[in-house]
Structure formats: structure tokens, C-alpha cells
Amino acid sequence: MLRRLPANAPADNAGLKRVLGLGSLIALGVGATIGAGLFSLTGIAAGSNAGPAVIISFALAAVACAFAGLCYGELAGMIPTAGSAYVYAYAALGELAGWVIGWDLVLEYTVGASAVSVSWARYMRSLLDEWGIHLAPRLMASPFEVVGMIDGRPVHGIANLPAVFIIVAISMLLMRGIAGSARMNMLVVIIKLTVIAAVIGFGLPYIKVANYTPFIPPNTGTFGQYGLSGILRAAGTVFFAYLGFDAISTVAQETRNPGRNMPIGLMASLAICTAVYITFSFVLTGLVNYHAMIGDAAPVATAIDQTPFGWLKAAVKLGIICGFLSVILVMLLGQSRIFFAMARDGLLPPLFCRTHAGWGTPVGCHLFFMVVTGVLAAFLPIEQLAHMTSIGTLLAFVIVCVGVIVLRQREPERPRVFRVPGGAFIPLAGIASCLVMMVSLDGLTWLRLVGWLAIGMVIYAKYGMHHSRLAARQGQDMPAMRPTP
């Protein structure tokens, strides 16, 4: 039986503090969106899937994201509480749908933070090598990656310890409070945008036009390896880069005037990031031939090496390393707030919805994900992590678009601070475009998603279904059973 709370159920702040303004929201969105998708996945998607046409892939992903972002804006203004797409699905489609999308979002953010930390470690290694500091290669790679020893001997990695370190450090920062974290994020975003401007400005004169030929490499005969199918698969892969939109909505309960600020923050982030992505990918694929970027998790470091500016190489790499911090921060923040919302609704143990008396943060959530995210970062390569994150993001966007349509039918008179124009066209276009990119991803990625959701259904059946706040409320409303005479 479908169990659902009304969409206008009052939000329970449960200790979270409203401290974020519009500027902080936009910075959080840009901080989460401009990162691994730009500095790492651009090279991987170009090298393995689309070639220079990765520019088109970013544009396609941006269009789909614009549809979903508008839907996020409408729902975020209506339901200004922590939890993002989980809360929207819960309100529009019921408890089971809320659980499914919440569990999916946990995968999305956890794996996303792991992927970015792996890329951060790659850039850190590149910078340290320039400074003459050489760390043990086997302690900077997963067991599934082959690294070269000093004597040239290829061996498998043991664990990516720098990636684990940065996750632990940022988790500790987030435990101390979101206001301080937001200030750090704002500073890092400024550094990041400065780095991007430097790469574009100094890189333009050194573009080799020959690198754009062929702009769309011919398909190899395998779906997803160049050609039109490669552009679609690359779009699905780099969709990971647009995770920042969902991240903004996870902190609605900590935002001042969310009805106004959430929609503006979402769309402003989209506009900034789309312009940056398309320009940056054009310069990057012009500096480096796409074949040289296959499997390269630090393509900007490779690209900047094509210029004669020695000082720029170290500065850019240092700026990227700092820039990744904001991405990891927002992802770890988002996943903790989703788990917090699920626990608040009784679907997870109450440990995860308790906030620290002084810091006002869900410390239990942060500790739990610090361990889980750290393990993934230590033992999995970035390519697999990125694909898992992209499909989770796309599924969340589909559910949000569906939620807009359902709530318009069920509660048409409910006030909407922001309303998506064009009737049902934009939500339906968002659903269709996201599904197309989901279909373009490989079968193994789909298998992992299905397996993860299956694990979630077991947890829901064994715990969430019996402890949910909604189940308790319905039990109280049910009339007492009389004994049969």
C-alpha cells in the first residue's frame, strides 16, 4: 500500500541552523559542479568516448540539466527542507519512492566524493613530483591500477592513501559547522575560477588546430566508442559534473529565505558552470590530442605541460588541488543531509538524525560516510567511480521531474514561489533527456545500480518499513481493534 505524507507537512529543523544566503548557495553549486567533471572527466570522456566532440557532450548534458534544474527550483521553493530529491520523491510519490531515490542519492554522493578525492590525489602526486617529492606509487593507487616503480617495474597499487586523507580532513571540518565550511568553500571557488581563467587565457595561443580533426572520430564498431554513440556516452559520463544542482537543494533547511534563494541559486550555478565547461573543454582538447587523454585522471596537468610557462604549471596544479576541496566538501555535505532526512523520517536509525549540541551538525552521518567514502577512494579507480555517480545523478533528476508533474496534479492550488514555465513540456523533456543518457551507459554500471538498489530494498523491508515516522502516524490514526465476541 502506498504510504505518503502530505507535501506540505511541516519541516522539522532538528537542530539545523539557517545560515546560508544566496551568495553561499551559488558558491556551493559552483563549488560542487566545477571540479572532477571539468578537471578529470573531460579527458577521460574525450579519450575513451567522444574525442574533441566532448564539447557537444557537455552541451547535451547542460540541456538535460537545465530541464532538471528548473524542476528542482520549483520543488525546492515548495518544500524547503533538508534532503533534496529524497524529500521531493517522498512528498510526491510516497515513502517507497522516497526511499529508493534517497538510497540512490547516497550512492551518488558517496561514490562522487570518492571519485573526486582520487583525482585530487593524482594532481597532488603530479605537483609533488615537480617539487622533487616522490611518494610510494603503490600507496597512491588502487589495487585495480598498475603503477610504475622507480626501477620501471609495473606493479599493482595497494591503496590510495592521499585520497583517504583528504576525505577524513574535510569530514572533520564539516563536523564543526556549515557556516565555517561555506566560508572556506567561497574562497576555494574564487581560486578555482582564477585557475580556469588562467588555463583558458594562457592556453589559447598554444592550441593545435590539428587536434580537432576529426572533431567527431568515427565509431570503432562498439557502442560508446566515438561517433554519435560516443558523444551520448560521454554526456552520460560527464553528467557527473552537474551534481552541484542536487547539492544545493540538500541544504534548503539551512538556507535563509529558501523559497526565493533556492531557485535563483540553482539556475545561476547552471549558467556559470555551463559557460565554463564548454569553453574549458574546447581549450583542453585543442592543447592535447584526445588519444593522449585515455585514462588520464589529471588531463589539465597534461595540457598545461604543452605551454612554456613553467611557473604556470605549478600554479595551475596547486589551484586545481585547492579547487577539488570544495567539490569534496559539498558532496560530503550533501550525502550527510540526505541520510539525516531519511533518519528523521524513521527510515534509518535515529543515530543519523542527531545533531551535535554545539556545532549543530549530524556528526554520526559524517563519521559513517567518512569511513565508507574513504574505503571506496582507497580501493577503486576513478573511471568506475565516475560511471556509478553519473547514473545515480541521472536517476535522481528523472524522479525530480516526475515529482513536479505529480504535485501539479495532486496539489494544483498550492502556492509556488517559482513555477517551471511551459506546462508539462520541460519536466517531460527532462525525463526523456536523462533517460537517453542513462541508456547510453554501459551494462556493468547498470548492474551496479540495480545491485545497490536491491541492497536498499532489503534494508527498507527489514528496518525502514517498520520504524518509519509515517508508519507510526498511521498506526496512531487507526481505530483500536475490538475483540471478536
Side-chain angles (χ1 to χ4, degrees), residues 26-42 58 116 185 188-197 200 238 240-245 268-278 280 300 319-328 330-331:
I26 295 175
L28 284 173
V30 174
T33 306
I34 297 179
L38 187 68
F39 298 136
S40 295
L41 296 185
T42 302
F58 271 115
V116 179
N185 178 72
V188 170
V189 166
I190 293 172
I191 295 173
K192 188 187 308 188
L193 293 177
T194 302
V195 167
I196 292 169
I200 294 172
V238 301
F240 163 82
Y242 291 97
L243 181 57
F245 299 98
S269 298
L270 172 61
I272 294 171
C273 297
T274 300
V276 168
Y277 277 155
I278 291 176
F280 193 87
V300 180
I320 291 173
I321 288 169
C322 293
F324 274 165
L325 299 180
S326 66
V327 184
I328 301 171
V330 179
M331 288 184 175

Side-chain angles (χ1 to χ4, degrees), residues 101-346:
I101 197 61
W103 190 247
D104 167 68
L105 287 170
V106 169
L107 171 70
E108 173 186 331
Y109 279 101
T110 303
V111 176
S114 302
V116 179
S117 68
V118 170
S119 189
W120 179 89
R122 295 277 183 89
Y123 276 102
M124 177 61 77
R125 178 180 179 181
S126 177
L127 183 63
L128 292 176
D129 286 344
E130 283 193 2
W131 291 346
I133 303 173
H134 304 287
L135 303 180
R138 299 189 71 186
L139 298 181
M140 300 188 72
S142 77
F144 298 96
E145 296 173 284
V146 176
V147 296
M149 301 297 286
I150 297 178
D151 58 6
R153 180 169 46 94
V155 295
H156 283 274
I158 297 175
N160 195 331
L161 295 187
V164 176
F165 164 78
I166 197 61
I167 286 173
V168 172
I170 293 179
S171 295
M172 298 299 291
L173 174 66
L174 285 168
M175 289 182 206
R176 294 299 303 270
I178 190 172
S181 302
R183 286 191 292 270
M184 189 209 81
N185 178 72
M186 183 76 77
L187 175 62
V188 170
V189 166
I190 293 172
I191 295 173
K192 188 187 308 188
L193 293 177
T194 302
V195 167
I196 292 169
V199 172
I200 294 172
F202 288 98
L204 275 172
Y206 298 92
I207 285 178
K208 300 174 184 176
V209 178
N211 287 334
Y212 295 121
T213 305
F215 186 71
I216 303 179
N219 185 261
T220 62
T222 302
F223 185 90
Q225 291 183 3
Y226 311 117
L228 294 178
S229 66
I231 292 173
L232 281 177
R233 176 159 292 181
T237 300
V238 301
F239 206 87
F240 163 82
Y242 291 97
L243 181 57
F245 299 98
D246 187 86
I248 291 177
S249 60
T250 63
V251 295
Q253 200 164 321
E254 294 157 278
T255 300
R256 298 190 298 268
N257 194 8
R260 170 188 174 273
N261 289 338
M262 294 300 294
I264 297 176
L266 285 161
M267 300 317 298
S269 298
L270 172 61
I272 294 171
C273 297
T274 300
V276 168
Y277 277 155
I278 291 176
T279 305
F280 193 87
S281 58
F282 172 79
V283 173
L284 189 67
T285 52
L287 287 172
V288 181
N289 186 276
Y290 67 93
H291 286 299
M293 291 191 282
I294 296 177
D296 188 357
V300 180
T302 304
I304 209 67
D305 286 341
Q306 308 303 311
T307 72
F309 306 109
W311 62 269
L312 181 62
K313 298 174 185 178
V316 166
K317 291 174 185 177
L318 182 60
I320 291 173
I321 288 169
C322 293
F324 274 165
L325 299 180
S326 66
V327 184
I328 301 171
L329 183 147
V330 179
M331 288 184 175
L332 291 175
L333 172 66
Q335 69 186 9
S336 69
R337 296 313 186 262
I338 291 166
F339 232 52
F340 171 88
M342 295 172 74
R344 178 192 58 199
D345 292 332

